Amino acid sequence: MRVTVIGVGRIGEALVAGLCRAGTSAESITVVGRSMERTFDVAHRHGVRVADLRNLPGECDVLVVAVKPQQIEGVLTDLGSALRGSALRPVVLSVVAGMPTNRIEQFLPSVVPVVRAMPNTPMTVGAAVTAIARGAGATEHDLRLVESVLESVGEVLRVPEDQLDAVTAVSGSGPAYVFLVAEMMIDAAMTLGLDRVTADRLVTGTLAGSSAMLGVGDVGPVQLRAAVTSPAGTTAAALEVFEQSDIRRTFRGALTAARDRSVELSGVGRPPLTPASADQH
Ligand SMILES: NC(=O)c1ccc[n+]([C@@H]2O[C@H](COP(=O)([O-])OP(=O)(O)OC[C@H]3O[C@@H](n4cnc5c(N)ncnc54)[C@H](OP(=O)(O)O)[C@@H]3O)[C@@H](O)[C@H]2O)c1
């Protein structure tokens, strides 16, 4: 499989690293960046090729767009022109938050299939969970190609595109919630008299170990929590304080705010490009 990655920041480079780890040959991976220094540095470290948008590789199965949301329109404009001037017909995989597939499609030749993905930063350690949604022109074969790219950095699941804002709130932003819990536990541990290094090791190990337990077998979080909680014991005393603080409502509110912000940023309600304006892109 030949993969081109446009935008080699944190997510783009993590994908390149994952593909190399998973055994995709480095010669079949090409990176396209903006800062030449950064792009050649990534290419050198992973042994992959470099191209630019006006000079894409002659063959490419999946073309990943991994630039920031404010950069995507410029990149798609150039990509649309490049694809119109060539016989290349890759699946375009956007990991960019916000822009829906029907808008991405307006920049590209109509025969180019588009798939959108919402990965998360555990991708950098090969432990992402990524949701993908197909654009109108993407086939089962296109989805399988995209899955084989993204499975190099973790787990992949399919969702309807209208669920991607909820996915963003859960797994896209989710690592930050876990890091906040880690930060709060470390602070609380220090108020109990533990030094920072000890607190840090205890909390990090607890979160890593507990996450590993969540991923094993059929036992879910409710049973795992019950197994640590003896009646009137220490864990029960802590959990009662959490419940009294209405932590569940706080979580629902936080995830709803993230989902609503994702909807807002995706510019739903923005007028679609007309064929004439699309030509200018
Ligand atoms: N980070 C997350 O948690 C996360 C999770 C899910 C999805 N995403 C999505 O992933 C995308 C990338 O995020 P990131 O954290 O990897 O961002 P990032 O580190 O800022 O990387 C973006 C890269 O795109 C490059 N770029 C900008 N304009 C370009 C152009 N015209 N041609 C080629 N490359 C160009 C930038 O190069 P320069 O440095 O030279 O400007 C930069 O290296 C974002 O759209 C984000 O929504 C991120």
Side-chain angles (χ1 to χ4, degrees), residues 7 9-11 33-35 66-69 71 75 95-97 118-119 121:
R10 275 180 315 159
I11 295 285
R34 186 163 60 174
S35 133
V67 298
K68 286 282 189 206
Q71 299 156 337
V75 166
V95 300
V96 180
M118 175 48 61
T121 52

Side-chain angles (χ1 to χ4, degrees), residues 206-220:
T206 301
L207 289 180
S210 309
S211 302
M213 286 175 79
L214 267 178
V216 176
D218 293 337
V219 189

Side-chain angles (χ1 to χ4, degrees), residues 11-271:
I11 295 285
E13 181 174 6
L15 201 51
V16 169
L19 285 164
C20 293
R21 261 196 317 266
T24 304
S25 82
E27 299 89 74
S28 53
I29 302 171
T30 304
V31 292
V32 176
R34 186 163 60 174
S35 133
M36 280 303 108
E37 194 184 338
R38 161 86 188 155
T39 311
F40 277 95
D41 178 46
V42 170
H44 179 70
R45 276 188 282 114
H46 301 281
V48 301
R49 295 165 188 266
V50 174
D52 66 54
L53 275 174
R54 283 164 300 280
N55 185 23
L56 288 170
E59 292 178 293
C60 173
D61 301 304
V62 180
L63 200 153
V64 183
V65 181
V67 298
K68 286 282 189 206
Q70 59 273 27
Q71 299 156 337
I72 190 175
E73 292 211 359
V75 166
L76 289 176
T77 301
D78 291 346
L79 180 61
S81 310
L83 292 178
R84 271 185 272 277
S86 88
L88 264 187
R89 291 297 172 256
V91 186
V92 170
L93 165 62
S94 167
V95 300
V96 180
M99 189 181 277
T101 53
N102 61 2
R103 188 159 171 82
I104 298 172
E105 284 160 357
Q106 288 171 354
F107 288 87
L108 305 173
S110 58
V111 290
V112 172
V114 174
V115 176
R116 238 180 106 190
M118 175 48 61
N120 61 8
T121 52
M123 179 190 259
T124 54
V125 292
V129 57
T130 303
I132 60 169
R134 62 175 358 138
T139 63
E140 178 63 26
H141 174 73
D142 299 326
L143 286 175
R144 291 233 178 99
L145 273 178
V146 162
E147 280 166 345
S148 60
V149 170
L150 292 169
E151 278 166 359
S152 72
V153 286
E155 193 186 333
V156 184
L157 56 138
R158 299 181 186 186
V159 298
E161 189 167 5
D162 63 6
Q163 290 183 2
L164 276 184
D165 294 305
V167 167
T168 303
V170 177
S171 55
S173 302
Y177 315 151
V178 176
F179 301 140
L180 176 64
V181 168
E183 186 188 324
M184 292 187 302
M185 279 179 75
I186 291 167
D187 286 348
M190 288 169 68
T191 66
L192 300 182
L194 298 176
D195 64 75
R196 173 166 287 284
V197 174
T198 306
D200 196 88
R201 283 183 61 191
L202 289 173
V203 169
T204 305
T206 301
L207 289 180
S210 309
S211 302
M213 286 175 79
L214 267 178
V216 176
D218 293 337
V219 189
V222 175
Q223 293 110 303
L224 287 169
R225 178 164 54 80
V228 194
T229 315
S230 13
T234 58
T235 312
L239 293 177
E240 197 183 321
V241 174
F242 284 134
E243 294 293 0
Q244 277 167 4
S245 75
D246 217 353
I247 193 170
R248 291 172 194 272
R249 199 159 66 104
T250 304
F251 261 83
R252 279 196 295 272
L255 268 69
T256 303
R259 191 273 319 272
D260 293 349
R261 182 69 181 136
S262 175
V263 171
E264 204 173 280
L265 289 175
S266 69
V268 170
R270 187 193 327 201

